[in-house]
């Protein structure tokens, strides 16, 4: 029981990070039908941007931890959004209207470019930040084991829930969100009603990157290190989460993220930590056999 | 005669070796309902696609005169500006609603630019700025006005895909009208409607034209609709214009009859001669 609850907390924390990255995948897929394989690396770039600002603020300017982190979140979202906007502009938009695989290949190229760029400009070593929020709240003790929830974990879950609420509001209630949903269904018709489709797609990339940047900040806060190759595995996991939840569905992405996080931590606790990725991907494969559109995905309707 | 609202000059659209529309010129006057008719495959929808920016015409010029007298060349505008700057709206033969969104949301998407400007890229919208709230309220009022007018207000919060066919057609017109267009292009609005729905549609179209400062360009196969409501009829056959004039004149044009009934060319000449003879005789009788 005590191990289970502890792993549940750990799994939900990890799942929150995956879920935030997965939203970027699912939104871009929803609106232009393309899997943005560079998104994992955008997350890594976001983590590096956060790292740089964080070290600037805390060591040079001597800011306190909490205001520094809040400013880092805002700056990280802004600059990562800018990065993804530029990526969409140079690597994907010129290929729109080309055959379906062209932007996909471009995305893979962009993924390699980003990780290599960071390797060159930031160096190949792990970049650490000093440990922060090391305290934790003990919940209960059983069999001599105290189940605790860390301040970091609380922060990650709270930030995730708040962001998802804001994000949900934007997509459901604002003109931008309506335009995104309209473009998702019929881009040409949306253009005929005066919606600037290119701009809407750009803003979708910016929004996805902003959430990935938040995930990046949480990642360095939680693990304390980041490395140029750290975009790949979380990126693939988040993509898996998006597919598991039903690609194109926003609640699905979050649900998928939480599930992948839980599967991973539970497997590590009860079976073998070496095979945690195998477990996550096997469960994906099994779910897709029975639910080909994912858990919350709608069946693909052929457009006439 | 004043400047026409829409002027199509020598429009040609080729797909490879096929000329879908050849050297077509016509005008649509402001405040009128202009009908574009012709047998299947005559190129009517292609003309619409050129006007609304779906196709870039191979040759020709499409000029739209704004109320302030400014002339816009529609074939040069990017897709979304044809609606926003050019103020042209259209509906489709095979309905293209946003099926997963509610009726109200469909009509709000049509007011996207107004709302987007008022909400400052949605940022002010999140914080609930008063200017955005006012704009949103006005947008919802306009949407409700058109839902009322098309008789769909009771289903405002249902998904558009759940509506029956006739209602979907009316919703498409309501959505187009929410963009406050100068020119509304309707592609077979009466297709698949029952006679009662068709009559209601006639009233709606006449009201749009008379009361809302919107001119209509109409593709229609149902001749009763065309003859009842249009002020001006342009007839196409094989991508070329064969007749142009008020409905009564077009109805009796032997070329139009031939195009619809499929008469040989020499027979057209014969019919023309016969009609001329009858007309001459009638004149003679009158004397």
């Amino acid at each position: 029981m005590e191990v289970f609850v502890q792993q549940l907390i750990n799994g939900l924390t990890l799942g929150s990070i995956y879920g935030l990255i997965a939203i970027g995948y699912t939104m871009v897929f929803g609106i232009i039908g393309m899997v943005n394989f560079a998104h994992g690396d955008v997350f890594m770039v976001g983590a590096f941007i956060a790292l740089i600002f964080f070290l600037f603020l805390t060591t040079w300017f001597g800011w306190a931890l909490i205001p520094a982190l809040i400013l880092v979140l805002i700056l990280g979202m802004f600059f990562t959004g800018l990065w993804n906007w530029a990526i969409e502009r140079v690597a994907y938009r010129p290929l729109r209207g080309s055959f379906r695989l062209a932007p996909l290949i471009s995305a893979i190229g962009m993924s390699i470019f980003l990780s290599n760029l960071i390797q060159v400009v930031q160096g190949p070593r792990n970049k650490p930040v000093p440990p922060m929020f090391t305290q934790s709240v003990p919940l209960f003790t059983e069999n001599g084991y105290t189940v605790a929830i860390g301040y970091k974990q609380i922060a990650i879950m709270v930030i995730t829930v708040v962001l998802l609420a804001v994000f949900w509001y934007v997509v459901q209630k604002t003109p931008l969100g309506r335009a995104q949903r309209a473009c998702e269904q019929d881009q040409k018709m949306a253009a005929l009603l005066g919606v600037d489709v290119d701009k809407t797609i750009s803003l979708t990339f910016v929004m996805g990157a902003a959430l990935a940047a938040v995930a990046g900040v949480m990642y360095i806060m939680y693990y304390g290190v980041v490395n140029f190759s750290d975009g790949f595995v979380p990126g693939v996991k988040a993509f898996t989460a998006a597919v598991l939840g039903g690609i194109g569905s926003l609640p699905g992405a979050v649900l998928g993220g939480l599930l992948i996080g839980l599967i991973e931590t539970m497997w590590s606790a009860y079976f073998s930590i070496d095979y945690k990725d195998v477990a996550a991907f096997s469960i994906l494969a099994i779910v897709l056999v029975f639910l080909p559109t994912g858990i919350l995905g709608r069946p693909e309707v052929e457009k006439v | 005669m004043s400047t026409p609202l829409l002027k199509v000059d020598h429009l040609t659209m080729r797909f490879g070796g096929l000329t879908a529309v050849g050297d077509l010129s016509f005008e649509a006057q402001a405040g009128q309902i202009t009908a574009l008719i012709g047998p299947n495959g005559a190129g009517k929808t292609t003309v619409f696609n050129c006007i609304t920016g779906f196709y870039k015409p191979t040759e020709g010029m499409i000029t739209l005169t704004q109320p302030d007298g400014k002339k816009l060349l529609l074939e040069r505008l990017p897709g979304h500006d044809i609606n926003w700057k050019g103020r042209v709206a259209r509906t489709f033969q095979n309905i293209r609603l946003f099926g997963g969104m509610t009726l109200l949301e469909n009509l709000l998407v049509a007011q996207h630019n107004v709302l987007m400007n008022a909400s400052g890229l949605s940022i002010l919208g999140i914080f609930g700025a008063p200017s955005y709230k006012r704009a949103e309220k006005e947008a919802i009022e306009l949407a409700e006005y058109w839902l009322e007018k098309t008789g769909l207000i009771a289903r405002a919060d249902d998904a558009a895909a759940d509506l029956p066919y006739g209602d979907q057609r009316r919703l498409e017109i309501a959505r187009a009208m929410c963009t406050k267009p100068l020119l509304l292009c309707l592609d077979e609005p009466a297709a698949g409607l029952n006679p009662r729905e068709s009559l209601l549609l006639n009233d709606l179209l006449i009201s749009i034209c008379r009361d809302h400062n919107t001119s209509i360009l109409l593709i229609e196969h149902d001749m009763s609709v065309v003859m009842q409501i249009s002020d001006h009829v342009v007839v196409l056959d094989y991508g070329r214009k064969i007749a142009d004039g008020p409905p009564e004149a077009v109805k009796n044009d032997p070329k139009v009859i031939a195009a619809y009934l499929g008469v040989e060319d020499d027979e057209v000449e014969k019919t023309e001669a016969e009609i001329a003879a009858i007309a001459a005789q009638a004149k003679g009788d009158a004397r």
Side-chain angles (χ1 to χ4, degrees):
Chain A
M1 183 62 195
E2 69 285 350
V3 178
F4 178 79
V5 175
Q6 186 64 60
Q7 290 302 60
L8 192 69
I9 293 166
N10 295 345
L12 288 176
T13 315
L14 188 60
S16 301
I17 296 178
Y18 288 155
L20 284 177
I21 310 174
I23 288 177
Y25 277 107
T26 217
M27 283 190 75
V28 166
F29 184 86
I31 200 161
I32 53 174
M34 174 198 124
V35 179
N36 179 13
F37 275 117
H39 194 65
D41 294 278
V42 170
F43 152 76
M44 179 270 298
V45 169
F48 265 94
I49 290 172
L51 174 91
I52 292 165
F53 278 120
F54 181 77
L55 292 178
F56 256 120
L57 287 174
T58 51
T59 57
W60 274 31
F61 298 103
W63 281 39
L65 200 54
I66 290 173
L69 271 179
I70 292 171
L71 190 63
V72 162
L73 264 182
I74 295 167
L75 290 172
M77 285 167 89
F78 177 77
F79 283 100
T80 315
L82 208 62
W83 258 103
N84 216 18
W85 177 83
I87 291 171
E88 193 269 339
R89 196 69 192 78
V90 300
Y92 307 146
R93 192 183 293 183
L95 297 173
R96 205 169 296 151
S98 173
F99 64 108
R100 275 179 75 94
L101 284 177
L104 198 74
I105 296 163
S106 182
I108 294 171
M110 192 43 87
S111 161
I112 297 168
F113 167 76
L114 284 178
S115 59
N116 281 282
L117 178 77
I118 297 296
Q119 184 183 10
V120 170
V121 299
Q122 294 292 321
R125 279 190 298 274
N126 276 345
K127 298 280 164 183
V129 289
M132 52 187 118
F133 302 122
T134 40
Q135 307 94 316
S136 56
V137 188
L139 293 178
F140 62 89
T141 308
E142 205 176 283
N143 305 333
Y145 181 90
T146 307
V147 175
I149 179 164
Y151 282 10
K152 278 188 277 199
Q153 294 177 316
I154 298 175
I156 287 174
M157 286 186 220
V158 168
I159 292 174
T160 305
V161 169
V162 170
L163 271 177
L164 288 181
V166 171
F167 197 73
W168 182 251
Y169 180 81
V170 169
V171 171
Q172 289 300 322
K173 300 284 176 197
T174 65
L176 174 64
R178 270 196 296 270
Q180 284 174 329
R181 284 181 289 142
C183 288
E184 206 167 295
Q185 293 187 25
D186 191 340
Q187 283 184 19
K188 284 196 158 173
M189 189 65 233
L192 270 182
L193 293 169
V195 176
D196 188 338
V197 176
D198 281 341
K199 198 162 119 190
T200 308
I201 292 173
S202 286
L203 285 171
T204 306
F205 273 84
V206 170
M207 282 162 78
L211 291 182
V214 175
V217 174
M218 291 170 171
Y219 187 85
I220 52 166
M221 202 166 90
Y222 196 54
Y223 291 107
V225 288
V226 63
N227 178 292
F228 75 95
S229 62
D230 275 353
F232 182 70
V233 173
V236 172
K237 293 261 179 65
F239 174 58
T240 310
V243 174
L244 182 65
I247 198 151
S249 150
L250 289 183
V254 180
L255 183 68
L258 293 177
L259 276 177
I260 293 279
L262 283 173
I263 293 166
E264 230 185 270
T265 47
M266 292 296 173
W267 189 277
S268 311
Y270 291 105
F271 301 101
S272 143
I273 198 161
D274 295 331
Y275 287 100
K276 66 179 165 80
D277 294 351
V278 175
F281 293 124
S282 306
I283 287 180
L284 170 80
I286 294 164
V287 169
L288 287 186
V289 168
F290 295 105
L291 293 167
T293 55
I295 297 168
L296 296 180
R298 285 162 304 213
E300 182 102 354
V301 182
E302 199 61 30
K303 263 183 200 155
V304 205
Chain B
M1 199 181 267
S2 62
T3 347
L5 175 71
L6 176 79
K7 194 165 183 301
V8 175
D9 277 319
H10 304 286
L11 178 72
T12 300
M13 183 75 215
R14 290 197 196 91
F15 297 102
L18 175 82
T19 306
V21 176
D23 197 24
L24 172 73
S25 302
F26 71 92
E27 292 174 353
Q29 301 296 329
Q32 286 194 351
I33 298 181
T34 306
L36 197 58
I37 64 170
N40 283 328
K44 305 179 295 284
T45 302
T46 308
V47 173
F48 263 38
N49 284 342
C50 289
I51 292 172
T52 51
F54 262 47
Y55 298 155
K56 289 275 170 243
T58 321
E59 286 165 24
M61 205 162 80
I62 305 166
T63 320
L64 192 90
T65 310
Q66 299 288 313
D68 59 6
K70 213 172 85 185
K71 289 188 192 312
L72 286 177
L73 290 176
L74 292 186
E75 79 275 9
R76 297 209 183 146
L77 288 179
H80 57 273
D81 276 346
I82 288 187
N83 181 274
W84 178 233
K85 297 219 178 84
R87 296 176 63 197
V88 175
R90 81 172 282 188
T91 67
F92 285 83
Q93 195 174 345
N94 46 344
I95 302 168
R96 288 176 84 159
L97 290 166
F98 303 120
M101 298 165 81
T102 68
L103 271 61
L104 188 64
E105 280 179 330
N106 266 279
L107 302 196
L108 290 180
V109 169
Q111 303 175 62
H112 172 75
N113 283 304
V114 180
L115 286 173
M116 196 72 169
N117 290 345
S119 76
L121 287 179
S122 289
I123 294 165
L124 293 177
I126 296 173
F127 297 113
S131 63
Y132 171 66
K133 285 212 164 132
R134 209 176 317 119
E136 195 183 29
K137 194 161 153 267
E138 279 166 16
I140 291 175
E141 272 165 14
L142 182 67
E144 280 172 349
Y145 171 80
W146 282 106
L147 285 175
E148 198 89 60
K149 199 143 170 100
T150 47
L152 299 169
I153 189 81
R155 306 199 60 177
D157 292 325
D158 290 356
D162 296 343
L163 289 181
Y165 189 80
D167 289 355
Q168 291 198 3
R169 283 224 172 276
R170 286 209 303 285
L171 179 60
E172 239 199 345
I173 295 174
R175 185 179 62 179
M177 285 309 295
C178 275
T179 64
K180 298 184 182 162
L182 288 172
L183 180 71
L184 175 63
C185 302
L186 300 169
D187 198 343
E188 297 201 26
L193 298 189
N194 64 35
R196 196 183 61 85
E197 285 174 327
S198 184
L199 278 178
L200 284 175
L201 180 77
N202 285 358
D203 293 343
L204 177 67
L205 296 188
I206 288 170
S207 151
I208 284 174
C209 196
R210 301 284 174 272
D211 311 334
H212 294 93
N213 193 25
T214 297
S215 315
I216 294 179
L217 186 63
L218 177 79
I219 292 180
E220 192 47 75
H221 275 302
D222 187 339
M223 280 306 136
S224 65
V225 175
V226 172
M227 293 305 155
Q228 271 170 33
I229 66 170
S230 48
D231 303 298
H232 184 89
V233 179
V234 178
V235 192
L236 291 186
D237 192 23
Y238 295 111
R240 289 180 189 276
K241 185 166 85 172
I242 56 172
D244 186 350
E248 285 310 312
V250 165
K251 199 155 101 181
N252 298 322
D253 191 319
K255 275 195 202 145
V256 177
I257 298 168
Y260 270 91
L261 299 180
V263 189
E264 296 296 326
D265 280 350
D266 53 326
E267 266 184 71
V268 176
E269 279 157 29
K270 219 166 78 187
T271 325
E272 268 176 348
E274 274 168 17
I275 290 172
I278 293 165
Q281 207 180 357
K283 250 186 205 166
D285 288 351
R287 281 203 193 116

